[in-house]
Amino acid sequence: MEKLTIVKVGGGILDEPTQLDALILHFAQINGHKILVHGGGKVATQTAKRLGVETQMVDGRRLTSTEMLEVVVMVYGGLVNKRVVAKLQAKQCNAAGFTGADANIILAEKRPIKTIDYGWVGDVKEVNTEVLKGLLSQGIVPVIAPLTHDKQGNLYNTNADTMASVLATALSSLYQVRLWYCFEKPGVLANAQDDNSVIEHLSTQLYQTYQQSGVITDGMLPKLDNGFAALRQGAQEVIIGTTTALGADAFAGTRLVL
């Protein structure tokens, strides 16, 4: 079975030119099939402010009004996506930009209203593995923006961490999948103030202990929840770490274990 590396990168790296260049360099050096899934929340927030559109967040997740949907489609599917594609092409990496609507790659449904109305936010229903397999077999590197669709003409803002996890799960029937959540730190830290306190192997039991004690909090929680979900559902390997380790043969970062 061929290997596939899926890398998810967030807004903190995309916003900082030096870190973005490092991501592009090291991602381009990954051997074999690969997919890049990106966020871009900070750029969307800045753009929304310039356009006079209010940003509302609940537990770190963006409420997506009709006006905000227009912003995230422009920013995620346009500015951020094409900037990354162009930079990868400059490194002889044959990237092509997609949203979930393109070639029906990722089908979703509108998140139901429970205690919170998230607006135009989608929950993934289905991944078109055959289309992705066809792209990868042609040497194309998909760069996927966090937008999905419902085949009814509607676009949805969709969590990029979740999209990466769902892609890893769906494609694990066709490839040996390594899922890498890339962010600014060298891994999951036992002490948020000490970059040398990387937890090299994080089990579900240890994760629960750290979560209950407040060692692991906030934005790291959805990454880990999605990472463990992918691992339970077929991904061979899930790693959380910095961009500089992407192209290296030696392991670096935090490896999730069940």
Side-chain angles (χ1 to χ4, degrees):
M1 191 179 281
E2 293 180 294
K3 294 182 179 180
L4 168 65
T5 302
I6 298 175
V7 175
K8 186 271 171 177
V9 60
I13 291 173
L14 296 169
D15 292 345
E16 211 288 309
T18 302
Q19 292 196 50
L20 175 57
D21 287 344
L23 166 75
I24 297 298
L25 174 64
H26 296 296
F27 180 81
Q29 292 173 346
I30 296 173
N31 294 320
H33 299 309
K34 51 196 172 187
I35 294 173
L36 182 63
V37 180
H38 67 80
K42 292 183 179 180
V43 183
T45 299
Q46 294 163 359
T47 304
K49 185 177 181 180
R50 290 201 300 270
L51 295 173
V53 176
E54 182 184 3
T55 295
Q56 293 179 293
M57 309 287 287
V58 175
D59 296 329
R61 295 184 182 269
R62 186 182 303 273
L63 303 187
T64 307
S65 63
T66 299
E67 294 78 14
M68 183 56 74
L69 179 66
E70 293 179 353
V71 172
V72 298
V73 170
M74 287 188 290
V75 171
Y76 298 162
L79 178 63
V80 174
N81 188 269
K82 301 316 172 191
R83 179 184 291 161
V84 170
V85 167
K87 285 181 174 290
L88 284 171
Q89 289 288 353
K91 297 296 182 184
Q92 290 74 53
C93 177
N94 192 24
F98 298 91
T99 69
D102 296 302
N104 188 33
I105 287 176
I106 303 175
L107 190 65
E109 62 185 359
K110 191 173 188 291
R111 181 169 297 171
I113 300 172
K114 295 179 180 178
T115 55
I116 300 168
D117 182 359
Y118 283 94
W120 295 101
V121 168
D123 293 325
V124 176
K125 288 179 61 181
E126 187 178 318
V127 174
N128 193 333
T129 56
E130 286 305 308
V131 167
L132 289 167
K133 181 182 178 182
L135 292 168
L136 293 168
S137 69
Q138 296 176 68
I140 295 170
V141 177
V143 177
I144 303 178
L147 300 164
T148 54
H149 80 129
D150 61 4
K151 274 196 170 180
Q152 303 298 317
N154 298 306
L155 287 167
Y156 296 109
N157 184 13
T158 302
N159 181 269
D161 288 337
T162 302
M163 285 180 66
S165 175
V166 171
L167 283 165
T169 297
L171 290 164
S172 64
S173 62
L174 302 173
Y175 303 93
Q176 293 182 32
V177 177
R178 176 177 68 160
L179 173 60
W180 195 300
Y181 284 105
C182 239
F183 76 132
E184 301 92 324
K185 296 293 183 178
V188 183
L189 304 178
N191 178 355
Q193 309 306 317
D194 181 6
D195 283 1
N196 293 316
S197 65
V198 174
I199 304 165
E200 292 191 358
H201 295 85
L202 183 62
S203 66
T204 51
Q205 184 176 2
L206 188 58
Y207 172 41
Q208 290 172 356
T209 301
Y210 279 141
Q211 189 176 357
Q212 290 166 2
S213 63
V215 171
I216 298 175
T217 59
D218 302 329
M220 186 54 64
L221 298 177
K223 283 184 177 58
L224 289 170
D225 289 340
N226 281 298
F228 279 116
L231 203 57
R232 285 192 295 269
Q233 297 176 69
Q236 187 177 55
E237 189 177 26
V238 179
I239 299 171
I240 297 179
T242 186
T243 59
T244 54
L246 281 177
D249 292 329
F251 167 76
T254 297
R255 189 192 307 271
L256 303 192
V257 293
L258 296 177

